[in-house]
Amino acid sequence: MNNYAIDTAARFGDIPFVEFTKDLVTGVFDSLVEAHVLQMEEYATFVNSLTQDLSTYINNTQDGVTFDQISDFVLNYELPTVNNSDLTTVLGQLQAPTGSPTPANPDPSQPATTDTWWGGLINGLAPAVSQA
C-alpha cells in the first residue's frame, strides 16, 4: 500500500496554502483594479478630447499635422456614393422609435441611473471629466 497520500496529508500544515491563496487573490484583484482605473483614465481623456472644438484639437495635435494638411485632406476626400435604390431600401427599413425619450438631467447632484452600463460609466467618469 502506498503511503504517499498519508505523507502528503501529514505535511499539509507545512505548506503555506492560506498565505499563497490570499496573495494570489489579492494580486489578481489589484492588477484588475489597476488596469480598470487606467482604462477609465484613458477613456476620460478621450471623452475630454471630444469636447474640444476643431481648431483647439488641431492646435493640440502632437504629430505635426498642420491645419492646411487637414483642410486639404477633408476637401479632397472622396466620399462613397450610394445609389438611390439602395438608399430607398435602407430608409424603408427604418422604424420609428417606441416610447418617449428620456430627458437629459444636467443636475450634478443627481447621478445617472445605474441600471444600465452607460449610467455606471457616466457616474464613474463624471468626477474625472469635471476636474479636467
Side-chain angles (χ1 to χ4, degrees):
M1 182 165 163
N2 190 347
N3 290 331
Y4 179 72
I6 295 172
D7 290 341
T8 303
R11 292 182 326 147
F12 188 71
D14 298 338
I15 301 171
F17 181 74
V18 174
E19 291 83 14
F20 169 75
T21 306
K22 181 185 76 158
D23 290 343
L24 178 65
V25 171
T26 303
V28 169
F29 178 78
D30 289 345
S31 66
L32 288 174
V33 168
E34 184 178 335
H36 183 70
V37 167
L38 180 61
Q39 279 183 328
M40 294 306 284
E41 288 171 350
E42 291 296 323
Y43 187 73
T45 302
F46 169 69
V47 169
N48 193 27
S49 72
L50 295 177
T51 61
Q52 298 175 352
D53 59 64
L54 181 60
S55 62
T56 303
Y57 179 77
I58 291 171
N59 291 333
N60 290 338
T61 56
Q62 298 176 358
D63 53 2
V65 178
T66 65
F67 180 79
D68 292 334
Q69 290 172 321
I70 294 173
S71 297
D72 290 342
F73 175 78
V74 170
L75 292 174
N76 295 323
Y77 187 77
E78 294 183 27
L79 295 172
T81 58
V82 178
N83 63 37
N84 285 340
S85 65
D86 289 342
L87 183 60
T88 303
T89 302
V90 170
L91 291 176
Q93 293 175 355
L94 292 177
Q95 298 177 0
T98 58
S100 60
T102 305
N105 186 4
D107 186 2
S109 66
Q110 297 180 353
T113 179
T114 56
D115 59 346
T116 59
W117 67 267
W118 59 85
L121 180 65
I122 290 169
N123 290 335
L125 290 177
V129 172
S130 66
Q131 291 175 359

